[in-house]
Amino acid sequence: MFLKNIDLIKGLYYSKAASLNDLSIYTGRSVPYVTKGIADLIKSDIVKEVGIRASSGGRKPATYSLIAETGFIISVAMNQFLTRIVIVNMSNEFVGEVQEFELKLNDNKDAIHSLIACIQAVVVNSGLPKDKFLAIGITMPGFIDAFLGNNLSFLKSPEETLVTYINKQAGLPVFIENDSTAIALAEQKFGLPIARNNSMIINLGWGVGLGMIINKEIFKGHSGFAGEFSHLPLHKNGKLCSCGKQGCLETEASLLAIEAKAIEGLRQGEVSSLVKYDTLSADDIITEALKGDAFAIKIISEAAYFIGQGLAILLHLMNPESIILSGKGSVIGKLWLSPIQQAMNEHCIPHLTTYTQLAVSNLGNNAQLLGGVTTVIENLYKLSPQASISEPA
């Protein structure tokens, strides 16, 4: 399956429907190359013609798309506390519901075995033939060595590399990526148009992650660990960060920090609808903030201001076209924007803020799941030694 024409398959996956000329532009290949490649994919029952596009003059071009049921990808989106898994077809559509599993990464020696059991359960319960699954895309926090296939922070493999071990146990190819980098990929391919070229993608979650798109490419740095935005040492608060240092941005601006501040505020007698929750979570705080609870909004606004201070540093260093707020916490939406913009205005040279757009992602809580899918699509060539046909003369 998908033994050749990977460049055309990628172009069709990201566009959903495209003409021969569209694919020629996307791949940088000649129209004859694209025409032959699409014909081969149609014969292999991977691609179908889906319609005729309107034209202002001349022959109306046919459009093509991938056949949804030719293959399926398992996307696994992990954070420190929860794992979400969904099956996605070749039309980038979720097949069935997103499955959620409580799976703590910290101090959990059985985490990798639990993860494999969750993946296997999703595959079996789907009722889909095993040979229809292309690969598993796993996105998670931590220092990810995607080349070697290891997470240097979590999910220690009992033998070999993490990717090799899961591959053996699950019986499917596996690709892993840092959650923030994967979210940046998803935003570039499926998100707002302003995320395409030069953009800083902020992953608002239990940490404050960063994925960087520079000159239309994901930037991961020399060792693949670029984007540790959470650990900018911005505060002299004496608070211990998950990295072992003190005063990181994460200690004041993450969802964990928001949770801690809310619990402490209620203990000190703050008036808030949050008192009705027996065990307060970040999701509860988000829910009440969206309903207008003043205390919940205040805590989120304070965190947003600190994020804006961190972004001011990025603006001076990178001068991005856009900053996109994504990840789990982005569902708060516009509540982030004003305090972040205020901090950026206070701490940035005006010329930098004038030409950088700040926006909330339109992908919501699905950004990381889509990042897992995109991680697989970007690595399709590794599943197929014969990646493409030769260009015709």
Side-chain angles (χ1 to χ4, degrees), residues 56-185:
S56 57
R59 184 177 178 181
K60 296 179 180 180
T63 56
Y64 304 88
S65 71
L66 296 172
I67 298 173
E69 296 77 22
T70 40
F72 299 92
I73 294 167
I74 301 170
S75 179
V76 181
M78 307 185 73
N79 62 39
Q80 287 91 329
F81 308 105
L82 187 72
T83 293
R84 305 170 71 226
I85 304 179
V86 72
I87 295 171
V88 184
N89 65 24
M90 294 307 290
S91 290
N92 196 41
E93 299 166 336
F94 288 5
V95 179
E97 298 294 323
V98 177
Q99 304 296 306
E100 295 189 350
F101 304 89
E102 290 187 10
L103 200 166
K104 292 185 178 180
L105 290 178
N106 288 313
D107 302 320
N108 183 355
K109 294 180 180 179
D110 293 324
I112 187 169
H113 304 295
S114 299
L115 172 61
I116 291 167
C118 293
I119 293 171
Q120 290 172 331
V122 168
V123 172
V124 171
N125 293 336
S126 73
L128 296 169
K130 185 77 172 287
D131 61 3
K132 285 285 189 177
F133 288 94
L134 300 180
I136 304 168
I138 304 176
T139 58
M140 51 192 157
F143 288 104
I144 306 295
D145 187 331
F147 180 75
L148 291 179
N150 267 327
N151 186 335
L152 306 183
S153 305
F154 306 107
L155 281 180
K156 301 300 181 184
S157 173
E159 56 187 79
E160 306 155 310
T161 66
L162 176 65
V163 161
T164 302
Y165 185 72
I166 297 176
N167 167 249
K168 283 185 176 180
Q169 298 299 313
L172 288 168
V174 178
F175 301 102
I176 62 172
E177 188 55 89
N178 173 267
D179 54 350
S180 298
T181 299
I183 285 172
L185 265 171

Side-chain angles (χ1 to χ4, degrees), residues 303-362:
Y305 184 87
F306 291 134
I307 290 171
Q309 283 184 301
L311 289 175
I313 296 172
L314 286 182
L315 280 168
H316 285 101
L317 291 174
M318 306 303 297
N319 185 28
E321 175 187 355
S322 64
I323 295 170
I324 310 295
L325 307 179
S326 188
K328 175 181 173 65
S330 67
V331 296
I332 302 172
K334 294 183 179 179
L335 291 181
W336 291 108
L337 294 179
S338 293
I340 287 177
Q341 190 69 63
Q342 178 186 349
M344 287 166 52
N345 290 340
E346 289 179 10
H347 298 283
C348 277
I349 296 170
H351 288 303
L352 292 170
T353 56
T354 299
Y355 298 106
T356 298
Q357 298 182 66
L358 177 65
V360 177
S361 169
N362 61 346

Side-chain angles (χ1 to χ4, degrees), residues 2-3 380-388:
F2 303 140
L3 292 179
L380 277 179
Y381 69 95
K382 294 180 181 177
L383 304 178
S384 313
Q386 300 170 322
S388 61

